[in-house]
Amino acid sequence: MGRVKVNLTIDADLSREARKLGVNMSRVAEKAIAEEAREARNRRWREDNRDALAAYAEEVEREGLPLARFRSF
């Protein structure tokens, strides 16, 4: 997967400080965006599957875990 150029707007003082400290702002931004995308993907999955998760939780509450009788602990 290649890299692309994007334009970001950040606080001028923060940019100066990061440059002064040798912070690779592109890498930091990439890590932050990747983490935010992961969290958004997880939130969307939970929202999309909310009904199924609730139904399974109700089933477990009502009937117990499907293989509970085989547990050795």
Side-chain angles (χ1 to χ4, degrees):
M1 194 160 62
R3 303 183 73 73
V4 297
K5 287 187 176 198
V6 298
N7 291 323
L8 296 173
T9 304
I10 63 170
D11 180 79
D13 292 336
L14 180 59
S15 174
R16 277 191 292 277
E17 183 178 12
R19 286 181 197 277
K20 181 177 157 185
L21 295 169
V23 173
N24 184 329
M25 290 184 277
S26 292
R27 297 291 181 201
V28 171
E30 185 173 40
K31 284 182 183 179
I33 292 167
E35 176 64 19
E36 185 64 27
R38 184 187 67 76
E39 290 177 10
R41 200 170 33 253
N42 288 343
R43 275 192 305 276
R44 179 172 291 171
W45 185 90
R46 284 191 306 272
E47 289 170 10
D48 290 347
N49 293 283
R50 183 179 331 172
D51 293 342
L53 292 169
Y56 180 70
E58 288 174 15
E59 181 181 326
V60 168
E61 186 174 324
R62 189 175 57 250
E63 300 176 19
L65 292 171
L67 302 175
R69 67 178 184 262
F70 298 109
R71 293 176 77 175
S72 61
F73 53 90

